[in-house]
């Protein structure tokens, strides 16, 4: 594990898991919570997406159990204020608490600035490597779950996952089983981009790449009316790890 499990420490920790859309953050976070609870006997609480984060409840649990609490929160950008309040209150009360959150790179950059100063550990959920892609194809084929790729050879399936689907496991599974398509995931990404300038730039870049035209920083600057000095803060960070080159 990349976080500590000692109950005696009063340290309040924030661990961040970042990755691109469709790379498996939700499943990974749940699996991490399960293994922390079953293999390390940690007191793990998983925040439901529609639930509220209340420090008073955590404090009561600590009083009753005297155990360090491990709190798992997906889509952290939707709960920034609540997470910050929990961290501040836990620090003030010296309550042993480890908060593990997951978010897309660009969402973290655009919406989670308030949490940066609390971060103790940061991990990136990487894309599938070649051997993992091979294993995934084998498992899908043995389960008769290749979907629209069922008439393809193993090599062709690997090429589709590595090239078209960018080696992202949930994107591959959604597309293979005729679930949520890669296009739907990209639309969801687009709708959540802020500010509006970055959203418009996303469309401009997609248009140029769709036409097979080269796109350089100078042209982007003229199209968007953004100076080079403003690129990183206003455009690059909000668009980090997006699926731009695929559409």
């Amino acid at each position: 594990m990349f976080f500590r499990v000692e109950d005696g420490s009063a340290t309040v920790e924030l661990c961040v898991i970042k990755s691109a859309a469709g790379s498996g953050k939700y499943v990974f976070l749940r699996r991490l919570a399960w293994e922390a609870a079953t293999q390390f006997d940690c007191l793990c609480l998983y925040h439901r997406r529609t639930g509220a984060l209340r420090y008073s409840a955590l404090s009561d649990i600590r009083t009753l159990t005297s155990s360090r609490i491990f709190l798992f929160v997906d889509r952290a950008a939707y709960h920034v204020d609540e997470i910050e309040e929990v961290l501040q209150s836990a620090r003030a009360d010296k309550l042993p608490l480890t908060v593990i959150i997951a978010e897309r790179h660009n969402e973290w950059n655009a919406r989670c600035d308030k949490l940066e100063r609390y971060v103790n550990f940061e991990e990136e959920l990487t894309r599938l490597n070649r051997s993992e892609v091979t294993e995934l194809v084998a498992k899908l084929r043995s389960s008769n779950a290749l979907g629209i790729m069922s008439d393809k050879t193993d090599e062709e399936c690997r090429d589709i996952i590595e090239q078209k689907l960018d080696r992202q496991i949930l994107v591959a599974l959604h597309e293979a089983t005729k679930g949520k398509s890669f296009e739907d995931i990209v639309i969801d990404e687009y709708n959540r981009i802020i500010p509006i300038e970055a959203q418009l730039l996303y469309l401009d870049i997609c248009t140029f790449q769709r036409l097979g035209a080269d796109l350089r920083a100078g042209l982007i600057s003229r199209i968007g009316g953004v100076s080079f000095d403003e690129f990183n803060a206003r455009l690059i960070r909000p668009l980090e790890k997006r699926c731009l080159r695929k559409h």
Side-chain angles (χ1 to χ4, degrees), residues 23-34:
S23 57
K25 291 183 298 298
Y26 172 70
V27 174
F28 175 79
L29 199 65
R30 292 179 70 89
R31 183 67 184 183
L32 186 62
W34 170 260

Side-chain angles (χ1 to χ4, degrees), residues 146-197:
L146 277 171
I148 60 175
M149 297 191 296
S150 58
D151 61 338
K152 307 291 185 183
T153 66
D154 286 353
E155 185 62 30
E156 289 172 330
C157 290
R158 285 193 291 268
D159 288 342
I160 290 173
I161 293 174
E162 290 180 343
Q163 298 174 23
K164 182 178 185 295
L165 306 182
D166 204 22
R167 294 179 290 118
Q168 296 186 21
I169 185 168
L170 291 192
V171 175
L173 292 176
H174 281 314
E175 184 126 339
T177 58
K178 300 181 181 179
K180 188 176 182 180
S181 70
F182 191 37
E183 287 74 16
D184 290 335
I185 292 175
V186 173
I187 291 173
D188 177 60
E189 279 198 315
Y190 168 75
N191 288 333
R192 294 177 60 194
I193 294 174
I194 57 173
I196 187 64
E197 294 93 335

Side-chain angles (χ1 to χ4, degrees), residues 216-236:
R216 299 185 180 277
L219 181 57
I220 294 176
S221 177
R222 289 192 292 274
I223 292 175
V226 179
S227 68
F228 289 109
D229 293 337
E230 297 177 289
F231 267 10
N232 186 56
R234 293 184 56 196
L235 300 177
I236 301 302

Side-chain angles (χ1 to χ4, degrees), residues 68-243:
R68 168 175 284 275
I69 298 173
F70 292 83
L71 175 64
F72 295 79
V73 184
D74 190 23
R75 305 303 289 271
Y78 289 98
H79 308 285
V80 171
D81 291 338
E82 294 168 286
I83 294 171
E84 184 179 34
E85 182 180 355
V86 165
L87 292 170
Q88 288 179 340
S89 298
R91 279 186 173 183
D93 293 344
K94 297 184 178 180
L95 186 149
L97 173 68
T98 298
V99 182
I100 304 96
I101 62 179
E103 191 50 88
R104 300 174 183 178
H105 292 89
N106 68 291
E107 293 284 342
W108 178 265
N109 294 338
R111 294 183 168 92
C112 301
D113 289 348
K114 295 170 66 174
L115 300 179
E116 287 279 4
R117 63 193 181 97
Y118 298 99
V119 176
N120 300 95
F121 304 96
E122 184 174 311
E123 294 287 333
E124 181 173 354
L125 198 58
T126 58
R127 292 174 170 82
L128 299 172
N129 59 38
R130 181 72 175 185
S131 62
E132 290 170 336
V133 171
T134 299
E135 185 178 355
L136 176 61
V137 171
K139 287 186 179 296
L140 289 174
R141 192 175 295 282
S142 66
S143 303
N144 195 30
L146 277 171
I148 60 175
M149 297 191 296
S150 58
D151 61 338
K152 307 291 185 183
T153 66
D154 286 353
E155 185 62 30
E156 289 172 330
C157 290
R158 285 193 291 268
D159 288 342
I160 290 173
I161 293 174
E162 290 180 343
Q163 298 174 23
K164 182 178 185 295
L165 306 182
D166 204 22
R167 294 179 290 118
Q168 296 186 21
I169 185 168
L170 291 192
V171 175
L173 292 176
H174 281 314
E175 184 126 339
T177 58
K178 300 181 181 179
K180 188 176 182 180
S181 70
F182 191 37
E183 287 74 16
D184 290 335
I185 292 175
V186 173
I187 291 173
D188 177 60
E189 279 198 315
Y190 168 75
N191 288 333
R192 294 177 60 194
I193 294 174
I194 57 173
I196 187 64
E197 294 93 335
Q199 195 176 57
L200 293 174
L201 178 61
Y202 184 97
L203 291 179
D204 292 333
I205 295 175
C206 288
T207 300
F208 274 86
Q209 293 200 345
R210 192 70 173 167
L211 296 173
D214 292 333
L215 190 60
R216 299 185 180 277
L219 181 57
I220 294 176
S221 177
R222 289 192 292 274
I223 292 175
V226 179
S227 68
F228 289 109
D229 293 337
E230 297 177 289
F231 267 10
N232 186 56
R234 293 184 56 196
L235 300 177
I236 301 302
R237 284 173 59 83
L239 293 174
E240 185 180 1
K241 300 296 179 73
R242 288 288 182 170
C243 301

